[in-house]
């Protein structure tokens, strides 16, 4: 399989907005167990090797994990403030925590852990996110041996994109990419130009 | 009713990020009729007069209108790239189009129309957004008398916030604001500090 056509556009947008720290942030929408939409900013942790799957790190105790148990479908909205490009990427998320039975996925989780900064690893030792603050010891005061593997609270999310809506506001162009399966089970992408 | 406490934080964030054009953009999550989340960037069109209700302009023909018919609940995620503050605002949306029977709401829609730039008004004359592009006449070539009121495709969305999750990444502080009704039917807000 060749590189997904929208992935080339996305890599290009990342490149042309690379001076902005926030260009690696996007908004992840899920559906809560109450049936209402939920939306938060998360950090792009790269593509999974040789694929178009998008990686996100999160805390197993965060509400988005409950959301994903209820409904595994998400939509990312990624707006690049310098190049005025928007990517809306939807698909299904695979939640990989420490109790995952697949050794290959556990390996990916470990890799994601070691790829994140020592400072961001410390977050996973802090108190339960979203719970009332009891003025517990702040996570900055925790310490963690840098050779230690992923802690229980660390979770890797892997989004397998199904459809991508690309909008370029500078040239007022909009494209939609839809994944299909070929007869031999391979994923391929069709492309259509749509009205902005 | 006094000003909602989160509104003061939001006005402050808008002020301290005002040099950035994109500080008035946020991501709006809805639930599609297929039961999956949907997420896109929209423009903040101000608060409704003397209230904490948030205004958004949109095209009646856009897919988010179908989403809102199916489920009127949304969550906004608004990340301020300079001050590192995030507001997640959820609540119910009122869709106000030209066939709305309430004269007061029609007046609000008209006001929102005239408050938007002549260039953005022209968008509503363009071809059906999200539909395959047939290389029709681009909307730039349309013209519109500036005294003409809202066209059919123009729609005002009014979000009535129920809960606001505020995160300040610079000082690692997170607050949640929840609206309640007092015994005399007034809306008021409770505040809790939660773990980031």
């Amino acid at each position: 399989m060749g590189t997904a056509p929208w992935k080339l556009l996305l890599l290009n947008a990342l490149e042309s907005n690379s001076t902005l720290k926030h260009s690696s942030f996007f908004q992840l929408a899920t559906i809560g167990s109450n049936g209402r939409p939920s939306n938060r900013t998360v950090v792009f942790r790269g593509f999974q090797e040789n694929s178009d799957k998008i990686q996100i790190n999160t805390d197993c105790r965060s509400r988005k994990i409950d959301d994903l148990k209820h409904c595994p479908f998400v939509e990312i909205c990624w707006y690049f403030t310098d190049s005025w490009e928007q990517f809306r990427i939807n698909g299904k998320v695979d939640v990989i925590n420490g109790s995952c039975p697949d050794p290959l996925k556990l390996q990916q989780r470990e890799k994601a852990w070691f790829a994140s900064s020592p400072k961001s690893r410390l977050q996973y030792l802090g108190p339960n996110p979203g719970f009332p603050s009891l003025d517990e010891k702040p996570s900055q005061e925790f310490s963690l041996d840098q050779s230690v593997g992923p802690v229980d609270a660390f979770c890797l999310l892997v989004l397998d994109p199904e459809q991508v809506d690309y909008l370029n506001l500078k040239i007022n162009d909009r494209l939609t990419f839809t994944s299909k399966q070929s007869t031999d089970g391979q994923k391929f992408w069709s492309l259509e130009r749509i009205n902005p």
Side-chain angles (χ1 to χ4, degrees), chain A:
Chain A
M1 186 184 79
T3 307
W6 59 266
K7 187 179 168 183
L8 297 173
L9 286 170
L10 182 54
L11 291 172
N12 199 48
L14 279 165
E15 176 67 28
S16 54
N17 294 268
S18 60
T19 53
L20 305 167
K21 189 191 178 306
H22 64 260
S23 67
S24 64
F25 297 0
F26 53 75
Q27 280 68 38
L28 176 75
T30 55
I31 302 182
S33 52
N34 61 359
R36 295 194 186 188
S38 203
N39 206 2
R40 79 287 284 161
T41 307
V42 295
V43 180
F44 174 60
R45 301 291 181 173
F47 287 101
Q48 201 156 73
E49 248 172 57
N50 304 316
S51 85
D52 55 18
K53 293 183 181 174
I54 288 171
Q55 298 192 132
I56 300 159
N57 296 343
T58 194
D59 194 306
C60 287
R61 302 165 298 171
S62 70
R63 216 181 53 195
K64 66 177 97 51
I65 297 296
D66 291 327
D67 292 0
L68 292 167
K69 274 181 196 156
H70 166 78
C71 170
F73 295 99
V74 305
E75 187 157 276
I76 282 175
C77 182
W78 199 342
Y79 183 70
F80 290 91
T81 56
D82 240 26
S83 62
W84 299 11
E85 290 167 287
Q86 174 181 263
F87 294 80
R88 297 170 61 183
I89 306 171
N90 74 58
K92 201 173 167 181
V93 164
D94 193 11
V95 177
I96 308 175
N97 59 30
S99 63
C100 175
D102 183 332
L104 188 68
K105 290 184 180 179
L106 282 179
Q107 219 172 55
Q108 291 163 346
R109 174 173 172 264
E110 191 178 73
K111 208 172 159 184
W113 169 261
F114 286 114
S116 67
S117 71
K119 196 186 160 197
S120 69
R121 287 181 217 167
L122 283 181
Q123 286 180 331
Y124 298 94
L125 298 178
N128 209 321
F131 277 47
S133 180
L134 302 167
D135 284 313
E136 295 175 64
K137 199 179 173 190
S139 61
Q140 285 82 347
E141 290 177 31
F142 290 100
S143 70
L144 192 63
D145 185 331
Q146 290 195 31
S147 64
V148 168
V151 297
D152 283 351
F154 181 75
C155 186
L156 173 65
L157 304 180
V158 181
L159 166 62
D160 189 4
E162 289 182 16
Q163 194 168 42
V164 179
D165 184 310
Y166 169 75
L167 176 66
N168 185 320
L169 284 171
K170 286 204 176 158
I171 56 170
N172 211 30
D173 197 21
R174 188 172 170 195
L175 302 170
T176 181
F177 300 89
T178 309
S179 73
K180 314 231 160 141
Q181 296 266 51
S182 64
T183 45
D184 61 350
Q186 292 272 37
K187 189 182 186 181
F188 70 96
W189 292 87
S190 72
L191 157 68
E192 189 171 35
R193 174 160 277 116
I194 58 174
N195 297 322

